[in-house]
Amino acid sequence: MLANPGHRALLALLIVTIIWGWTFSWMKEAIDAAALVIENGMTFVVGLFMVVRFGLASLLMPVLIPGSRSGSRTRQVWRDGGILASFLLGGFLLQMFGLEGVDPAVSAFLTSLYVAFTAILSVLAERKLPGMVAITGVLVVTIGAAFISGPPQLSFDLPEWLTVLCAVLFAGHIVATDRVTKRTAPLPVAWISFVWVTLGSALLLAFGWSQRPDIHLDQVILLMSTPGFVRPALLAGFLGSLVALTLLTNFQKFLSPVRAAILYSLEPVWAAMIAVTLGQTAIDFWLLFGGGLLLVGNLWMEIWPRLSKKTS
């Protein structure tokens, strides 16, 4: 079965969703740990976290995946890597800033709106509507993501709007990845995108420090020696960036952007299962209802087209 590129892509992107199920808690843990060391320094903290996360991925990728260096000096690779990096950097920054002021369940739902936004952006880019199977899948998984942690309590203050905009940028990244990786080698583009995000994060870090010149070097050293900050930053760097985003960039081209976005919607299912395993939440009706719809939406996208072919 895995000889088919589409099947390999499904498996690879499924692994991406499992890793992403962890990254939300890693980012939240790092933000909470940093608040105990540096008060009211969110811009500085987010910049530092992103520098560690993507800096680690930038350093390790050419060592662990030598193919990522091939053709990396061409202008096309740097341009396409910059396109993907702009969506990544903006999306992750907005997600982390939004996490400071929203409930995790609400943040997870609003972020998952990238499924619907991907469908909208695909329509605008391709100037044609997706099929009814895809539209139905988008609706089912969006409802599932909304209710997996219970009915979302939305007030739509600034943190909520930041998270919605983050979902728009993640949708843009999915659509851009589909186009970029069909004209440029995926591995070099992934590496250069990490480099661009690291540079952008370093600028944010510098800006945050200029806004808070009272942050002393000993505080930074203390933060960088705090396990609650360093551990999730390293895990997010190695697994969340190097492994997950490399798989995404390399394999997403075998699926349509809408199909890929629906598959990515499984992230909150894994996040919920991880939370249950760690004793952070309990299984209830909403978890089963929302998670069930997310699974149904993905199975619908896989099974219905095949059944239609057999009956036609």
Side-chain angles (χ1 to χ4, degrees), residues 90-246:
F92 281 122
L93 292 181
L94 290 172
Q95 186 181 53
M96 292 193 73
F97 280 116
L99 271 171
E100 189 182 27
V102 299
D103 180 86
V106 172
S107 179
F109 161 56
L110 293 177
T111 301
S112 70
L113 290 177
Y114 64 74
V115 179
F117 289 133
T118 299
I120 295 171
L121 293 179
S122 295
V123 169
L124 296 176
E126 300 174 9
R127 298 183 179 179
K128 65 178 182 179
L129 289 172
M132 285 305 300
V133 173
I135 293 175
T136 304
V138 168
L139 292 175
V140 170
V141 300
T142 301
I143 295 171
F147 289 94
I148 192 169
S149 296
Q153 305 296 319
L154 300 178
S155 60
F156 274 99
D157 295 323
L158 180 60
E160 283 83 1
W161 285 114
L162 291 177
T163 310
V164 170
L165 185 55
C166 137
V168 174
L169 292 179
F170 284 151
H173 179 261
I174 292 171
V175 175
T177 297
D178 178 67
R179 297 202 164 197
V180 163
T181 55
K182 288 177 179 176
R183 67 182 182 226
T184 310
L187 289 177
V189 165
W191 178 37
I192 297 304
S193 72
F194 296 160
V195 174
W196 276 121
V197 173
T198 303
L199 294 174
S201 301
L203 290 176
L204 180 72
L205 175 61
F207 174 75
W209 210 337
S210 69
Q211 297 295 104
R212 286 289 310 278
D214 58 311
I215 296 177
H216 299 294
L217 184 59
D218 58 344
Q219 290 178 282
V220 179
I221 295 174
L222 176 60
L223 181 59
M224 290 301 297
S225 61
T226 301
F229 181 83
V230 176
R231 185 185 65 83
L234 294 179
L235 287 171
F238 182 74
L239 295 175
S241 293
L242 178 60
V243 176
L245 290 175
T246 299

Side-chain angles (χ1 to χ4, degrees), residues 9 67 73 109 148 154 165 211 271 274 295 298 302 312:
R73 295 183 179 181
F109 161 56
I148 192 169
L154 300 178
L165 185 55
Q211 297 295 104
I274 291 167
L295 292 174
N298 277 275
E302 285 301 307
S312 60

